[in-house]
Amino acid sequence: MTHQAAIALGQTLRVLAVDSDESAAQVTPDVVLGSHTDIDALRRAAAGAQVLTFDHEHVPTELLEKLQAEGVNVAPPPQALIHAQDKLVMRRRLEALGAPVPRFAAVDDVDDLDDFARRVDAPLVLKTIRGGYDGRGVILTTDLPEAREAARRYLADGVPVLVEERVAMRRELTALVARSPFGQGAAWPVVETVQRDGICVEVLAPAPGLPDEVGAAAQELALRLAGELGVVGLLAVELFETAEGGLMVNELAMRPHNSGHWTMNGAVTSQFEQHLRAVLDYPLGDTSAIAPVTVMANVLGAPQTPAMSMDERLHHLFGRIPDARVHLYGKQERPGRKLGHVNVVGSDLAVVRERAGRAAHWLAHAQWTDGWDGHAD
Ligand code: ADP
């Protein structure tokens, strides 16, 4: 998706991929095969490039610092990226910057949990400090013994964890912004992200019913954090809207983010183009929504891959929902895997949401959620 945006800007992307069938490698002729944990592969990918950037956060900081020292323009720089890689570093920095975060503590020993539980008087969440993704590495526990047991297992495996209070929330929001090295910032409307089992299934843009001042506060917070942390490119600030209507920061991501896929069809400038503009230090694009409502629904692999081919599923989908904007990632179907997403743009939230959800479910399952049969008449 970043490459699509690069084409329009007359830029070319070289991709570092482990396999030639990875999504990003499928759409560019310039692929360096190798691991993002191998400095030589990273050097080959960066050679002669104007800028090195990311579609995930797992490149080790030490390697990026080495590249930087060798003169590579790394964006976002590793000094910023660390806050999207290490949840403990992030929590400590945000707390120091006065950003609202759940109460948290490092866990060096299982007994640390007892002290923390006494202090917060709330259910506990255990998180691996590094390597989490789509809810993997997050355990929402119901009582202290369960939290202790989970921590014991992680620590026995040598996996560093932190504990935090389980936040009583209304819903989850994301404030997505971009920042250029020049210092320009741009914020899209704040969205609601609907999660199931730790995975984002749907994004509603803008977040329905969000008071203007709360939306503006979330945008300002995200822009301020982007500046304080020295982000270059995109910054997604994942937020909890608390039961009382306040905001708390859950996580940071510094790359095009699932919560921003709606911008491909629902905003003047997509997150992918904006990320490129930011890392290339171009003036940033207009982030306005082009319609009252956009809903993005993820196409999540069905428990059983349908017998009907994806090609045929697309035929049916476009026959029934011609305004569905489909973005597939070229991935093999697997249960629960993010295979793509569908955007629907419109003016009535209930209608748009139903169309997007129905389209995404159809693409994954080859079943209409309302039992419709395209061959019936
Ligand atoms: P990942 O790094 O895997 O994306 P997150 O930290 O975003 O993990 O957590 C995944 C999901 O777990 C969140 O979207 C949220 O639904 C839930 N969650 C995480 N932390 C808390 C918390 N402190 N209180 C309540 N729910 C939480």
Side-chain angles (χ1 to χ4, degrees), residues 87 125 127 132-136 138 140 164-167 169 172 195 238 240 250-251:
K87 288 182 180 173
V125 180
K127 292 187 175 182
Y133 184 71
D134 279 350
R136 273 174 277 164
V138 173
L140 306 178
E164 59 188 35
E165 65 181 309
R166 184 160 175 174
V167 176
M169 67 177 102
E172 299 189 43
Q195 318 277 329
E238 298 180 17
F240 299 138
N250 176 33
E251 266 228 279

Side-chain angles (χ1 to χ4, degrees), residues 246-260:
L247 296 175
M248 265 191 199
V249 180
N250 176 33
E251 266 228 279
L252 304 180
M254 292 180 199
R255 56 178 162 76
H257 190 247
N258 201 173
S259 68

